[in-house]
């Protein structure tokens, strides 16, 4: 089979149009108004941003490096592209040996009594601001290279023909989620809204269920104990 046999996807506007059809606000074949499009974009982008707070999107994890400077504990990530919103894993390497660091919350970092202690870092934290800053502890006593897996921001739905920044399995969850949000805004009967919400939650749970990395459940028990 050709690669084109596996490339199904939908565009931003196709998702929005289908969501409107699900709530009976867009007859088949009719175009959306600019007002309808703008309303749906606000609802969809708000919904997607709320999803990311769950930290379940494995495909948004990317590898980065940061040079740790002697005597410097904090490092701005403002120039990192795409923007990092959280750190999943971190380690520094010496003589081809990786030394893992614990990823702490910013509050846990603030609770460290002596933040001026020096040594090779064992803790990494991110303050979670719009322009994030990464902190390491102890303060590096010599230059190291930190390798970290950062969870990055999802792209916004800025173009009509753009595809969602998701695996295709999330298309149904996005569509029914948007339909539910729009149904609330249009004041559809409570029964219809509850059914859309139920369908949305079902689709989201099924899509989210595929987030687990295969390594989590591919181990088999040995025959000999």
């Amino acid at each position: 089979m050709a690669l084109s046999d596996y490339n199904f996807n939908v565009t931003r506007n196709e998702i929005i149009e289908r969501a409107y059809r699900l709530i009976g606000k867009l007859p088949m074949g009719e175009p959306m108004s600019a007002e309808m499009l703008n309303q749906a974009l606000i609802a969809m982008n708000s919904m997607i941003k709320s999803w990311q707070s769950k930290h379940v999107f494995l495909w948004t994890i990317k590898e980065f490096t940061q040079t740790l400077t002697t005597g410097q504990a904090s490092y701005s990530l403002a120039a990192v592209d795409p923007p990092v919103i959280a750190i999943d894993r971190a380690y520094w390497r010496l003589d081809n040996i990786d030394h893992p660091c614990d990823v702490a919350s910013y509050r846990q970092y603030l609770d460290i009594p002596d933040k001026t202690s020096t040594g090779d870092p064992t803790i990494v934290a991110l303050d979670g601001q719009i322009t994030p800053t990464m902190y390491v502890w102890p303060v590096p006593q010599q230059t190291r290279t930190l390798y970290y897996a950062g969870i990055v921001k999802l792209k916004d739905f800025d173009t009509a023909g753009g595809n969602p920044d998701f695996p295709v399995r999330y298309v149904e969850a996005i569509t029914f989620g948007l339909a539910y949000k729009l149904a609330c805004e249009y004041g559809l009967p409570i029964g219809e809204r509850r059914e859309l919400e139920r369908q949305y939650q079902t689709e989201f749970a099924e899509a989210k269920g595929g987030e687990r990395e295969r390594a989590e459940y591919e181990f088999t028990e040995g025959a000999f104990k």
Side-chain angles (χ1 to χ4, degrees), residues 64-85:
F64 299 93
T65 61
Q66 173 67 52
T67 299
L68 303 181
T69 304
T70 303
Q72 182 176 337
S74 63
Y75 302 84
S76 173
L77 302 187
V80 174
D81 186 29
V84 173
I85 64 169

Side-chain angles (χ1 to χ4, degrees), residues 3 5 15 33 44 74 82 97 116 123-124 154 160 174 182 189 205 210:
L3 290 177
D5 293 328
I15 291 174
S33 67
M44 184 159 59
S74 63
I97 302 297
T116 62
I123 291 176
V124 176
L154 295 168
I174 298 171
L182 292 173

